[in-house]
Amino acid sequence: MTDARGSARPNGGAPARHAPGTPCWASLMVHGLETTGEFYEALFGWEFRPGPRQPGPYVRALLDGHEVAGVGVLPPDRDLPVAWTPYFASDDADLTAEAVRSCGGTVGVGPLDADDTGRLAIGSDPSGAVFGVRQAAAGPGAAVTGVPGTPAWNELTTFAAAGVATFYTTVFGYDEEPAAPSAGPDHVTLRLRGRPVAGVHGVGAALPRDRGPHWTTYFAVADADDAVERVRRLGGRVLAPARDGDHGRAALVADPEGARFAVVGSPRRPADSRRPPTAASTRPT
C-alpha cells in the first residue's frame, strides 16, 4: 500500500513502464461527467483535461499537473454499473488477455488501442470481479502517488480468497502472503517483487447480494474523518464510517452517482503492521 503520509513521486524525464502486475490506473465510468468532475475536484483537488475518446467522452484527472485517474461517460445503450475499476500493468495486453481467459476469467472489452494511452482490456476474474489491463504507450499510467488525492490501495472482496487469489497470481505473477490475524480469517496479500500491491478478502455469505465480488479503490487523504464530512457535504454517501485499521484510518463512501470507493488517512492509533484496512472491515453493518 502506498503510505498516505508519503510524498509525491512524479515522473521526470523519460517515462518508465510499470512492472507487469502493478496497479497502474483507476478509471470511473459515470452518466454525468460534469457533475462527477465537480465532486472529485472539490474532494481531492483534481483538475481535468480531455483524454482519449472511448465509446464516449473521457477525461484524465490531474493533481498538480500529474495524471492520477480517468473518468468517462457510460454508453447510453448499455446497462453498466457506475463503478471504479483498477487497471493492472502489462507488457503485452493481448497475451495477458489470453492468460485471463485460460485461467477461467472473461475478457469483455478489447484488447484495443486507446489513442496515446496504449492498449487496454477490461475483464473479470472467475468470481465476476471486474478489472482492467493496461499496456502503456508513452507513459506509465498514474504519474503521482503517495499524496492526498491519489490511489493508495486496491482490495478485492469476494466469496473465498484462495481460488481467486490463485487466478491473479497466475495471470500477473504475484506471490501470495497470508494476512495477519487482525485482517480476518480469509485474507490474502498479493505481493510483487516483495512489495504488497493488493489484497483479496473472502467474506463468504456476507458478500452483499447487490454487489457481488468487486474491487475497491482506496484514495489517500490527509484526514479520513474530514474527507467523510466533505463527501457528505458534496452530495455523496457514507457507507461505513471512518475506523482505524492496521495501517490507516479508512471509510467506505460513494459519490453522488453511487460509485463506491474508500478514503484512507493516517491512523489515530499507532500502526503495528504494514497491513492496510480492508474493504470488508469498512463495509456497512
Side-chain angles (χ1 to χ4, degrees):
M1 174 181 175
T2 301
D3 194 328
R5 297 163 295 174
S7 58
R9 292 192 300 273
N11 295 297
R17 290 179 180 270
H18 284 292
T22 304
C24 64
W25 191 247
S27 185
L28 171 64
M29 300 302 291
V30 298
H31 298 289
L33 192 59
E34 182 175 352
T35 54
T36 296
E38 291 172 352
F39 171 84
Y40 287 101
E41 179 181 3
L43 180 62
F44 292 140
W46 290 352
E47 298 177 350
F48 297 91
R49 72 179 183 195
R53 288 195 65 85
Q54 304 195 348
Y58 190 88
V59 295
R60 294 184 175 110
L62 285 76
L63 189 64
D64 295 329
H66 300 284
E67 295 180 4
V68 294
V71 183
V73 176
L74 286 165
D77 57 341
R78 299 186 66 183
D79 184 19
L80 298 172
V82 175
W84 280 99
T85 300
Y87 280 70
F88 300 95
S90 171
D91 282 343
D92 190 319
D94 294 82
L95 287 179
T96 301
E98 286 302 316
V100 168
R101 295 187 185 99
S102 66
C103 292
T106 301
V107 178
V109 178
L112 53 82
D113 293 325
D115 295 346
D116 62 342
T117 297
R119 194 157 176 79
L120 309 176
I122 299 176
S124 58
D125 65 31
S127 74
V130 176
F131 64 94
V133 174
R134 190 181 198 200
Q135 176 187 340
V144 59
T145 60
V147 295
T150 62
W153 183 252
N154 291 284
E155 183 89 9
L156 173 61
T157 305
T158 188
F159 295 107
V164 177
T166 298
F167 166 84
Y168 288 98
T169 59
T170 304
V171 172
F172 293 111
Y174 301 134
D175 294 317
E176 296 181 32
E177 176 189 49
S182 59
D186 188 18
H187 198 132
V188 173
T189 299
L190 301 178
R191 304 179 72 90
L192 187 66
R193 300 181 180 179
R195 181 173 60 90
V197 295
V200 181
H201 199 167
V203 297
L207 189 71
R209 292 186 178 182
D210 63 337
R211 290 285 293 156
H214 59 277
W215 283 94
T216 300
T217 298
Y218 287 66
F219 291 92
V221 293
D223 185 292
D225 295 272
D226 177 67
V228 163
E229 290 305 313
R230 278 183 285 145
V231 167
R232 287 197 182 100
R233 292 197 305 268
L234 294 169
R237 290 184 297 143
V238 179
L239 305 177
R243 56 177 288 182
D244 284 345
D246 289 331
H247 193 80
R249 187 167 177 82
L252 183 65
V253 298
D255 68 23
E257 285 205 18
R260 298 183 176 208
F261 61 99
V263 292
V264 58
S266 300
R268 290 190 170 181
R269 61 173 175 78
D272 54 9
S273 76
R274 297 186 62 187
R275 291 292 313 151
T278 68
S281 70
T282 56
R283 70 176 183 273
T285 56

